[in-house]
Amino acid sequence: MTETLLAMSIGVPLIAAFTTPFIGRVSRSAQYTCAIGFMLVTLISSIVLMSETINLGKISAVGLLYADAASTFVITVISLLGLAAVIYSTRYMEKDGNQNLYYFLSFLFIANMIGLSLTYNIVLLYVFLETATVSSAILVLYGRTIKALNATFVYLVLSIFGAVLVLIGIFLYYSLFHAVDLRVISASVTNPTNPNLVLSTAVLIFLGFGIKAGMVPFGLIWLPKAHAEAPSPISCLLSGVLVQVSAFAMAKIIYFPIFGAFEALKWTVATFGVLSMIIGSAFAFLERDIKRMLAYSTISEIGFIVLMIGVGTALSISAYLGHILNHALAKGLLFLCAGTIIYQTGLRDMNNLGGLAKRMPITTVAFLIGAFTLIGIPPLLGFYTGRMLEEASSELASFLPTFGTITTIITFLFYAKAIYKIFIRRIPEQLKEAKEAPVVLQIPVLILAVLIVIFGLFPNIVMGAVRLIAG
């Protein structure tokens, strides 16, 4: 049963990638229905697989794919964001002339993100990551502007640099341990013959995946450009899936086999995490473009995840898994809200917006929920994951929670500024005819917003799961 679910979790989006373009040639409405159906089946498969893995302790394998508790949790997050993005795309991208290619690339990206989460083979992991990078880079081009072209170029250049670092690290790992399976490497690394080379290899791979994850300083170069210029449903996937799954892969390759042997690497990783938290939030505060602000915020939130990887304890694993879910829901929601605002007004500069609370009340409430959960306001999910992040960071050093507090204050300030400029202040003359988004755009927004509230009102659903996984 679990093997079938494991195969379906990656097989269904792969089938969707190759069938939806052909269905689109026959009927556009049938393409939309099938695309949503494929993603719904993927999500259900992932949820059932996660339930059996976490609650019943079943661990399954199909070929080089391996479903454990952490990986099934992550693929459920991927599938949920994928479903929201696909539903949103059926209206947001309906006037695009290349929808068949769009759905092929979107499903290919989702399938590779799921595959990356499910493998411990570092060569296959690399293949999944690079395939996802290429497909997402082409999707960024769907902005069809000079800025989108520039963003794609910068994204690819930095990604290639990161890929080279990871590839060198993989070759070094193989030369050291004569294995490409992380579980085999983990058994060998406890007593390495060349510890300095092992540590250097780990740092190379950390930096390579750090580029993909949007970690400072690399994320400042490519991430705001790519996330801002991509279509909003793709921005949702880039921020909620790509950077977080890259960080998850970083944790598997670096933390899983290495941290037990090298205490110094913890502080290297933790330092990059803290810098990303502070610098990302500071840049977000200075930004006036709504999507670029959210992109810089992503760098800050990824900093929390990288910090938790650096802490390297059972509690920090629980904390970063909880934060992966909270950030995926919140940032996916916020990018979709931003897309809705752009779709309805044609504007993305917050200085040109205003008064939309009365014109777009559903979008306003949803945006508030997404912002408030990232700030950590109760009774939303982010309040509980934030407390866990604070508690876990203190396990490495008692002063680390101070950096989290500073980041939270800056996060509150830039979201407060955005909320005032977009929704509260006097509405500009050109926006007096603005109205709420079409229902199809509202559905995924409401799904994500409601989940944030439910998980906040019943926190044991998530907190219990992540603690079980870490245990």
Side-chain angles (χ1 to χ4, degrees), residues 224-241:
K225 294 176 182 289
H227 289 210
E229 298 308 322
S232 289
I234 301 306
S235 301
C236 164
L237 291 177
L238 291 175
S239 185
V241 174

Side-chain angles (χ1 to χ4, degrees), residues 37-340:
F38 279 128
M39 248 356 285
L40 192 58
V41 171
T42 304
L43 176 59
I44 293 171
S45 301
S46 301
I47 291 172
V48 176
L49 181 61
M50 177 182 65
S51 177
E52 296 206 355
T53 303
I54 296 176
N55 297 322
L56 303 179
K58 293 183 178 180
I59 298 177
S60 56
V62 175
L64 296 176
L65 301 179
Y66 184 84
D68 58 17
S71 62
T72 55
F73 180 86
V74 172
I75 68 169
T76 301
V77 175
I78 296 169
S79 302
L80 178 59
L81 262 289
L83 176 62
V86 166
I87 295 172
Y88 195 89
S89 296
T90 59
R91 181 60 185 263
Y92 195 85
M93 302 297 295
E94 67 176 350
K95 295 180 181 179
D96 190 273
N98 291 312
Q99 289 188 67
N100 293 336
L101 178 62
Y102 174 85
Y103 284 106
F104 168 74
L105 293 170
S106 297
F107 278 111
L108 186 63
F109 171 81
I110 292 168
N112 278 280
M113 287 289 97
I114 290 173
L116 189 154
S117 304
L118 290 172
T119 187
Y120 279 92
N121 182 292
I122 53 178
V123 174
L124 185 59
L125 187 149
Y126 178 83
V127 171
F128 280 135
L129 182 63
E130 294 315 305
T131 306
T133 298
V134 172
S135 57
S136 60
I138 300 172
L139 286 166
V140 172
L141 274 174
Y142 268 75
R144 287 188 173 79
T145 63
I146 297 298
K147 288 184 177 180
L149 180 61
N150 175 259
T152 303
F153 175 75
V154 173
Y155 175 37
L156 283 175
V157 169
L158 266 293
S159 293
I160 291 170
F161 178 57
V164 170
L165 294 180
V166 173
L167 195 57
I168 293 172
I170 290 173
F171 279 121
L172 289 174
Y173 261 161
Y174 186 78
S175 67
L176 285 163
F177 304 110
H178 306 290
V180 292
D181 190 302
L182 288 171
R183 290 162 294 178
V184 177
I185 295 173
S186 180
S188 305
V189 80
T190 53
N191 189 26
T193 56
N194 193 337
N196 290 330
L197 183 57
V198 174
L199 183 59
S200 300
T201 302
V203 171
L204 275 178
I205 292 182
F206 166 68
L207 292 175
F209 277 102
I211 293 172
K212 305 281 189 179
M215 186 179 68
V216 163
F218 316 106
L220 296 173
I221 302 171
W222 74 265
L223 195 147
K225 294 176 182 289
H227 289 210
E229 298 308 322
S232 289
I234 301 306
S235 301
C236 164
L237 291 177
L238 291 175
S239 185
V241 174
L242 176 64
V243 296
Q244 300 203 121
V245 175
S246 297
F248 182 65
M250 176 201 299
K252 286 209 290 189
I253 289 189
I254 301 301
Y255 168 72
F256 184 71
I258 296 296
F259 274 5
F262 298 105
E263 189 73 21
L265 190 59
K266 290 187 176 184
W267 276 107
T268 302
V269 176
T271 300
F272 274 98
V274 169
L275 290 173
S276 298
M277 288 159 49
I278 301 293
I279 296 173
S281 59
F283 272 85
F285 179 78
L286 298 172
E287 186 56 59
R288 54 190 284 181
D289 182 295
I290 183 173
K291 291 185 72 176
R292 286 179 65 88
M293 180 200 73
L294 294 175
Y296 281 121
S297 171
T298 295
I299 296 173
S300 178
E301 300 298 335
I302 285 299
F304 281 101
I305 295 175
V306 174
L307 172 60
M308 290 301 101
I309 296 171
V311 173
T313 64
L315 181 59
S316 74
I317 294 172
S318 299
Y320 94 72
L321 287 173
H323 192 63
I324 280 177
L325 175 61
N326 184 56
H327 179 253
L329 293 174
K331 199 53 65 66
L333 172 61
L334 289 169
F335 267 114
L336 295 185
C337 286
T340 299

Side-chain angles (χ1 to χ4, degrees), residues 397-409:
S398 58
F399 62 84
L400 282 176
T402 304
F403 293 107
T405 302
I406 293 170
T407 303
T408 300
I409 292 171

